[in-house]
Amino acid sequence: MMTLYSTATCPFSHRCRIVLHEKDMDFQVIDVDPHNKPEDLAVISPYGRVPILIERDLVLYESNIINEYVDDRFPHPQLMPAEPVMRARARLLLHRFEQELFCHIDAVEQNDQKSADKMRVAIAESLTMIAPIFDKQKYMLGDEYSMLDVAIAPLLWRLDHYGISLPKQATPLLKYSERLFSRPLFIDALTPSEKLMRK
């Protein structure tokens, strides 16, 4: 059985929980208190951060790496594109999400108001730029739900919580968000703390 070390409010852990639910797998979640981490966490992961996936003698960290492994190991439903060119494009977009969106989350969660506000604006601008694609398609890669939708969903879920407001031009993105949030498996993956993040 796979074991996921996860934090109740961590967007990266949330990603992994979504994938495990999508695969309808038997897995165990160990809830980690970010303010009181178990000592063995530092031994398991060189960064001492969640999420961490353990399966027998395999230990993985970094949410996108964990999710690709789970997708390869349990290919139904397949979340990464099967075709090499599309797969490479998907990986590139996943990388861009980290560089342009998720890299700002730490700053938004810190107490430095000026820095947090600047990062909120950066996230809002990046999201507004991708909004027009949802005028034409249902999900990130077209009509099929994929790993890209999994990767961005935890951030979209937390927009209110992070104090990020989007302009009117981002309406297609907000409609897309509602499509993601209405998926039963997305709802199943939410922790009680995450459910409270949205009004």
Side-chain angles (χ1 to χ4, degrees):
M1 191 203 285
M2 289 184 170
T3 299
L4 181 74
Y5 285 79
S6 161
T7 294
T9 56
C10 160
F12 302 100
S13 297
H14 188 180
R15 273 181 186 169
C16 296
R17 281 185 266 109
I18 294 169
V19 167
L20 291 167
H21 279 279
E22 285 287 337
K23 301 291 181 175
D24 192 23
M25 283 167 43
D26 198 15
F27 62 92
Q28 176 192 11
V29 174
I30 294 177
D31 217 15
V32 174
D33 177 353
H35 307 296
N36 188 19
K37 292 178 184 170
E39 284 172 19
D40 63 340
L41 208 65
V43 179
I44 301 168
S45 157
Y47 304 111
R49 284 198 309 255
V50 293
I52 299 167
L53 184 84
I54 298 180
E55 188 186 27
R56 292 190 290 276
D57 58 351
L58 176 71
V59 177
L60 294 175
Y61 42 91
E62 296 302 321
S63 59
N64 287 335
I65 293 170
I66 291 170
N67 283 350
E68 266 210 67
Y69 168 73
V70 172
D71 196 45
D72 286 341
R73 182 113 160 60
F74 301 93
H76 302 291
Q78 190 166 27
L79 293 169
M80 281 296 275
E83 200 265 317
V85 171
M86 283 304 288
R87 203 176 177 88
R89 284 192 180 136
R91 284 196 179 115
L92 209 52
L93 281 168
L94 288 170
H95 179 70
R96 284 188 64 184
F97 289 170
E98 301 312 289
Q99 299 301 312
E100 295 168 25
L101 296 167
F102 284 84
C103 65
H104 302 311
I105 285 173
D106 277 351
V108 169
E109 288 181 337
Q110 299 311 320
N111 293 329
D112 179 356
Q113 195 61 43
K114 198 174 171 189
S115 167
D117 285 345
K118 197 173 155 192
M119 295 313 160
R120 284 186 185 99
V121 170
I123 292 171
E125 284 175 353
S126 293
L127 289 174
T128 304
M129 274 171 63
I130 60 172
I133 68 169
F134 301 107
D135 276 329
K136 301 179 188 71
Q137 58 195 51
K138 197 173 170 188
Y139 295 114
M140 259 317 153
L141 290 179
D143 288 335
E144 295 297 314
Y145 182 78
S146 76
M147 197 66 86
L148 292 171
D149 305 300
V150 169
I152 203 166
L155 172 62
L156 298 175
W157 180 258
R158 287 162 171 76
L159 290 178
D160 289 347
H161 176 71
Y162 290 150
I164 297 167
S165 50
L166 296 179
K168 207 168 173 198
Q169 305 93 285
T171 301
L173 179 91
L174 296 173
K175 287 183 177 163
Y176 156 72
S177 301
E178 294 307 323
R179 280 197 290 282
L180 297 182
F181 305 157
S182 64
R183 293 174 65 84
L185 293 168
F186 177 87
I187 296 161
D188 290 347
L190 291 167
T191 63
S193 308
E194 282 167 341
K195 285 177 180 163
L196 297 173
M197 287 179 162
R198 278 175 69 82
K199 300 169 184 64

